[in-house]
Amino acid sequence: MTKPTLQQSHGPAYTRIYAIGAARGANLVPNDDLVGPINSSDEWIQQRTGIITRARAGADVEALDLATDAAREAISKSGVAPELIDLVIVATVSNVQQTPSIAAVLADRVGANPAAAYDTNAACAGYAYAIAQADALIRTGSAHYALVVGAEKLSNVVDPTDRSISFLLGDGAGAVVIGPSDFPGIARTIWGSDGSKADAVGMNATLTEYRDGTAEWPTLRQEGQTVFRWAVWDMAKVAKQALDAAGITAADLAAFIPHQANMRIVDEFAKQLKLPESVMIARDIATTGNTSAASIPLATHRLLEEHPELSGGLALQIGFGAGLVFGAQVVVLP
């Protein structure tokens, strides 16, 4: 008896980002509003982080709502009918429900039912992870068009008395539509993790501990110096690997869009990579804050709004964060 031959799917050779959308928390919170509980000052926060204000959403707005607004903008600008989107990935650490996923509800909200839909939790590297997955799934024929979103409402997990991270965090969502391309638009992703340093940044308690009354509501904490050193030294090496994987040099870039963790990290990154002055560097953190998985697409959206001539150019984007997870790739800007 002849064995049947298994069929495997194949898709287009290349993918690219078609369009981008964004939504930020409507409330701009200046440093002076936060300094009391941490016994600090506007000057101290600006010197250490570069943040002047951060965007935070109101009590009645969740990460899903921010994701919806960003996704609708991206879809509208992409020219792709929502019913043709058959994959929705949302990178987030701040879904207020363990299930259902933000992605499944979002797919329904934007008219993409019955798209495959799931959330991915890779913290501040989540958007880069989701881009890698969408690219791979389209090129294998498992999807045709993908909606990728980074969405966070980190103000839900802030302890206003914590000096390590509370003043960094903001709320927002950035979304892109990805589809087939006649030219390479998303280079190979360099990604990984180092779980041995998991305690360096993450939640300070579990939901079961909160339920049992042995811990307060879980909030984000970090070991600032550990994270800073890891981000600056180890992640600069990852960024260089991403350039090599794309077959380009720093001089070929139009933009550098790192996770908006801290302005000092962004500036040190630029030095480590020896970026020429022609490369635009995203510094959205100054007025949006650190929005984890949403930070790269939000920074990209603002950079393209302010410098539309960057469209079609190459951008190196890199995310890094909790669980010490990282991901970097070079993309063609929409």
Side-chain angles (χ1 to χ4, degrees):
M1 183 176 176
T2 304
K3 279 188 176 181
T5 300
L6 186 68
Q7 292 187 3
Q8 285 192 268
S9 63
H10 301 278
Y14 307 121
T15 65
R16 63 181 174 89
I17 297 171
Y18 288 19
I20 188 165
R24 289 174 173 79
N27 303 318
L28 290 180
V29 181
N31 293 334
D32 284 338
D33 285 5
L34 305 178
V35 296
I38 59 173
N39 190 27
S40 185
S41 68
D42 171 61
E43 181 183 20
W44 183 85
I45 292 175
Q46 289 202 45
Q47 286 180 346
R48 290 182 64 86
T49 70
I51 297 175
I52 302 167
T53 61
R54 73 279 299 135
R56 289 188 174 173
D60 59 340
V61 176
E62 295 298 344
L64 170 61
D65 303 309
L66 296 166
T68 303
D69 289 344
R72 284 174 174 158
E73 180 189 353
I75 293 169
S76 174
K77 289 161 59 177
S78 73
V80 176
E83 60 268 21
L84 296 180
I85 294 171
D86 49 5
L87 174 64
V88 178
I89 308 173
V90 176
T92 186
V93 297
S94 51
N95 187 0
V96 291
Q97 294 178 291
Q98 295 298 103
T99 188
S101 67
I102 287 178
V105 181
L106 177 63
D108 180 60
R109 283 191 176 187
V110 300
N113 265 342
Y118 60 93
D119 293 354
T120 184
N121 180 344
C124 308
Y127 175 75
Y129 267 48
I131 292 290
Q133 293 170 54
D135 164 56
L137 289 167
I138 292 171
R139 287 190 293 110
T140 59
S142 297
H144 297 90
Y145 296 96
L147 173 65
V148 169
V149 185
E152 304 285 13
K153 189 185 180 186
L154 298 179
S155 58
N156 280 340
V157 287
V158 165
D159 174 359
T161 67
D162 174 59
R163 285 176 62 89
S164 75
I165 200 171
S166 63
F167 52 88
L168 293 170
L169 304 178
D171 304 331
V176 293
V177 174
I178 297 174
S181 175
D182 294 332
F183 56 87
I186 301 173
R188 181 169 69 90
T189 298
I190 305 299
W191 54 352
S193 65
D194 182 1
S196 69
K197 296 185 179 70
D199 291 340
V201 55
M203 307 303 288
N204 66 340
T206 67
L207 288 174
T208 50
E209 289 170 334
Y210 173 70
R211 178 200 63 195
D212 296 341
T214 59
E216 297 295 320
W217 175 251
T219 56
L220 282 167
R221 295 285 195 280
Q222 72 171 350
E223 297 173 6
Q225 286 304 311
T226 300
V227 174
F228 185 89
R229 287 193 297 269
W230 174 75
V232 167
W233 301 110
D234 291 3
M235 292 304 96
K237 297 172 186 175
V238 171
K240 291 173 183 175
Q241 291 174 33
L243 289 174
D244 290 342
I248 67 168
T249 69
D252 297 314
L253 293 172
F256 175 50
I257 310 172
H259 163 50
Q260 303 292 290
N262 180 311
M263 194 74 80
R264 291 163 62 208
I265 292 175
V266 172
D267 291 339
E268 188 60 38
F269 250 138
K271 292 179 185 176
Q272 293 286 324
L273 293 173
K274 296 181 172 60
L275 296 178
E277 291 186 7
S278 59
V279 178
M280 298 294 301
I281 301 173
R283 291 189 170 90
D284 187 48
I285 189 170
T287 54
T288 300
N290 178 339
T291 54
S292 189
S295 80
I296 293 175
L298 282 174
T300 303
H301 186 273
R302 174 156 285 165
L303 205 59
L304 287 169
E305 273 193 334
E306 295 175 350
H307 301 279
E309 72 277 7
L310 294 175
S311 179
L314 298 176
L316 168 62
Q317 54 190 33
I318 178 168
F320 46 89
L324 297 205
V325 179
F326 57 88
Q329 69 259 122
V330 176
V331 301
V332 175
L333 291 168

